[in-house]
Amino acid sequence: MADELPELTEEEKRSPFSGFYKRDIGDLAPEIAAAFQPGVTIDPSEAVMPEDLWEYLLPDGPTPEMGYCLLPNGAGYTCLVADVPGVTKAMFDFRLRLVLADHMGFMIEFPGKQLGHWEGLCVEDFGVGYMHGTILTRNYSAYELGYPTHPTLANPEIVEFIAKEADEISLEGPIDPTRGKCMVVFVTRETATGLRCWAITYSGLHLVDGVSTAVLAPDEEITLEMCRLRGLHHAYEYVGRKELLDQYYEEYKDKQLAPAKPWPERFLPYRH
């Protein structure tokens, strides 16, 4: 809620987008809220591994089952399917540039939970009790995933496909580089009414030699609640994104945005 949000710094207040910070977030679509209720999990057999996603990316391909679960190898799975009506590819591309050029553009999508975005680093609160820094290490290529070509070439409806290797670190304690591995896949395609977005997270997993492989420290445990909260976080991102793009795209679409900023000095020790 807006009245519970932390105050902005003086630097953040100078951003032209700071006026969108103190606001409530809209409600989730009923099907999304139902999919991420506590204890309402999907069967692990419904989870789609990144190397098996190809058929889902083709024109008229199936839609992955929305929800969350734990996988037999101990990793976690979260899949969000969100419709974003009225948002065009041009609006979406502007948003991608904005979050890199002005981290307030990232914060205002989910105020109080999204705290900063730089090239290769997101700072967020996923609700699991500590602040996360997500280091987006690199993009996986179509070749590494075993795909015959890039999904955007195989399906003209797809305006973005990103499969990233990432590490998540707690910003409130010592860093253990053996844990916090994850992989994120974002698929955005055009529909007759706007965009349809998939946000899939594989917690405790990396792609190794083309195969989804659990990468867990000996005492590391991925929980269902972590997976559930990740799905809700992404869902509220998309709600906030829709609300904001409706409001500020026309005003700011021609604004010249600066290149992505380097990491703040306090985060430099987290670089690999």
Side-chain angles (χ1 to χ4, degrees):
M1 303 298 289
D3 58 359
E4 299 173 354
L5 292 173
E7 293 300 321
L8 296 175
T9 66
E10 291 304 314
E11 179 184 1
E12 289 166 346
K13 290 176 182 177
R14 289 194 289 272
S15 165
F17 305 104
S18 61
F20 297 102
Y21 176 72
K22 284 277 188 176
R23 62 188 181 84
D24 300 335
I25 296 291
D27 295 329
L28 299 179
E31 65 273 15
I32 294 176
F36 292 101
Q37 290 294 312
V40 181
T41 62
I42 61 173
D43 191 279
S45 65
E46 300 286 347
V48 184
M49 295 296 99
E51 66 270 30
D52 299 326
L53 196 59
W54 178 252
E55 65 175 299
Y56 293 80
L57 301 172
L58 296 175
D60 301 319
T63 298
E65 184 74 17
M66 180 160 59
Y68 65 101
C69 67
L70 295 179
L71 303 174
N73 61 8
Y77 177 83
T78 306
C79 177
L80 170 73
V81 179
D83 286 312
V84 192
V87 174
T88 64
K89 181 182 184 302
M91 295 166 73
F92 185 81
D93 289 344
F94 170 77
R95 177 259 167 192
L96 288 176
R97 291 187 293 115
L98 174 63
V99 298
L100 288 174
D102 187 326
H103 81 268
M104 277 301 302
F106 180 68
M107 291 174 66
I108 58 179
E109 284 187 345
F110 196 177
K113 294 293 185 179
Q114 297 190 169
L115 299 156
H117 192 300
W118 296 268
E119 183 74 69
L121 171 68
C122 307
V123 179
E124 304 174 77
D125 179 358
F126 290 116
V128 294
Y130 58 90
M131 205 67 67
H132 273 82
T134 303
I135 302 172
L136 303 170
T137 311
R138 67 187 186 93
N139 288 342
Y140 289 108
S141 67
Y143 175 80
E144 288 177 284
L145 291 160
Y147 300 167
T149 187
H150 196 273
T152 55
L153 299 177
N155 185 351
E157 293 179 353
I158 295 178
V159 299
E160 181 197 51
F161 174 86
I162 295 176
K164 280 188 176 291
E165 180 179 280
D167 286 358
E168 291 188 341
I169 58 174
S170 169
L171 299 181
E172 299 174 1
I175 296 171
D176 183 346
T178 68
R179 64 185 65 232
K181 309 300 183 184
C182 72
M183 181 177 177
V184 290
V185 175
F186 299 110
V187 182
T188 305
R189 65 175 65 195
E190 291 181 295
T191 69
T193 58
L195 299 179
R196 169 164 281 195
C197 304
W198 303 349
I200 308 176
T201 304
Y202 307 89
S203 301
L205 180 148
H206 274 179
L207 198 67
V208 180
D209 295 327
V211 178
S212 299
T213 304
V215 186
L216 297 165
D219 62 342
E220 184 176 6
E221 180 185 7
I222 306 297
T223 67
L224 283 173
E225 184 65 359
M226 291 166 62
C227 298
R228 186 181 79 86
L229 291 173
R230 168 74 83 153
L232 286 174
H233 181 98
H234 280 310
Y236 280 112
E237 271 186 49
Y238 285 111
V239 170
R241 190 173 305 166
K242 161 63 177 166
E243 293 173 344
L244 289 166
L245 285 172
D246 283 346
Q247 293 181 58
Y248 68 41
Y249 175 69
E250 285 302 319
E251 181 175 354
Y252 292 107
K253 65 180 180 180
D254 297 321
K255 175 180 168 58
Q256 293 297 311
L257 298 175
K261 296 179 181 178
W263 291 20
E265 186 172 339
R266 66 185 184 277
F267 291 133
L268 290 180
Y270 304 130
R271 276 193 181 277
H272 289 320

